[in-house]
Amino acid sequence: MSKLVVNSYEEFASHLGEQLGCSEWLLVDQERINLFADATLDHQWIHVDVERAQKESQYKSTIAHGYLTLSLLPYMWDQIIEVNNIKMLVNYGMDKMRFGQPVITGSRVRLVTTLHNIANLRGICKAEIAFKIEIEGQRKPALEGIASFLYYFL
């Protein structure tokens, strides 16, 4: 898998409407979920109590936090694109974000992206990336939306 390499606003803009790429599959295991629970102080049993989830959950398993799934976006985005000649990148916002279905512990997820919109705001590149975080073997994505990034090209 090769990254899309972008060296300027014009190169980035030339991909408007195109799929930019897919990340590699990433395992969401119980250790990752537990670490996220510790970091966010969200220890709801559906995420961290394996025995109880097997008995009481409709999924018969623990599931990843929705925000854990979202938090994987930057890591997977970095596998898809390399933007050169910038002095800074800022996460600007999220739009139309929807959680489609839970990520059951032990599932693998990946990011699929399309350049939804791009604008030059007085020298700052605002890129709106339509994204889906897919679950391996599932038709419906775990999460989808539009992520906005500001790229400060040199």
Side-chain angles (χ1 to χ4, degrees):
M1 181 182 75
S2 61
K3 284 186 184 185
L4 172 64
V5 177
V6 171
N7 295 301
S8 67
Y9 171 84
E10 292 76 20
E11 282 184 25
F12 212 159
S14 74
H15 295 283
L16 183 61
E18 295 178 6
Q19 183 173 319
L20 301 176
C22 301
S23 71
E24 295 178 5
W25 291 104
L26 177 69
L27 177 66
V28 180
D29 59 10
Q30 192 63 52
E31 180 182 11
R32 187 180 309 278
I33 293 168
N34 291 345
L35 289 169
F36 188 83
D38 290 344
T40 60
L41 308 176
D42 181 356
H43 293 94
Q44 187 181 158
W45 70 266
I46 193 68
H47 305 302
V48 297
D49 190 334
V50 174
E51 289 180 18
R52 183 175 176 189
Q54 288 171 342
K55 293 176 189 169
E56 297 181 35
S57 166
Q58 66 186 19
Y59 308 108
K60 304 298 180 204
S61 173
T62 53
I63 60 173
H65 304 72
Y67 289 119
L68 166 56
T69 304
L70 174 61
S71 76
L72 297 172
L73 193 146
Y75 169 76
M76 293 188 288
W77 176 237
D78 189 54
Q79 294 177 16
I80 293 170
I81 193 167
E82 176 182 323
V83 182
N84 297 318
N85 302 315
I86 59 171
K87 58 183 172 183
M88 187 168 52
L89 163 63
V90 174
N91 294 320
Y92 187 66
M94 293 283 172
D95 294 304
K96 300 180 182 173
M97 194 177 77
R98 298 282 182 266
F99 294 100
Q101 69 173 329
V103 176
I104 296 172
T105 304
S107 298
R108 295 192 327 157
V109 297
R110 74 173 179 181
L111 177 66
V112 180
T113 61
T114 301
L115 182 55
H116 176 72
N117 197 13
I118 190 164
N120 185 340
L121 307 175
R122 296 183 311 275
I124 301 166
C125 170
K126 180 182 178 189
E128 295 178 354
I129 309 301
F131 70 90
K132 288 184 184 179
I133 296 183
E134 299 180 336
I135 305 168
E136 189 174 37
Q138 299 293 319
R139 185 182 55 78
K140 193 173 183 182
L143 176 62
E144 60 187 324
I146 299 173
S148 296
F149 302 109
L150 299 179
Y151 289 91
Y152 292 73
F153 281 98
L154 299 173

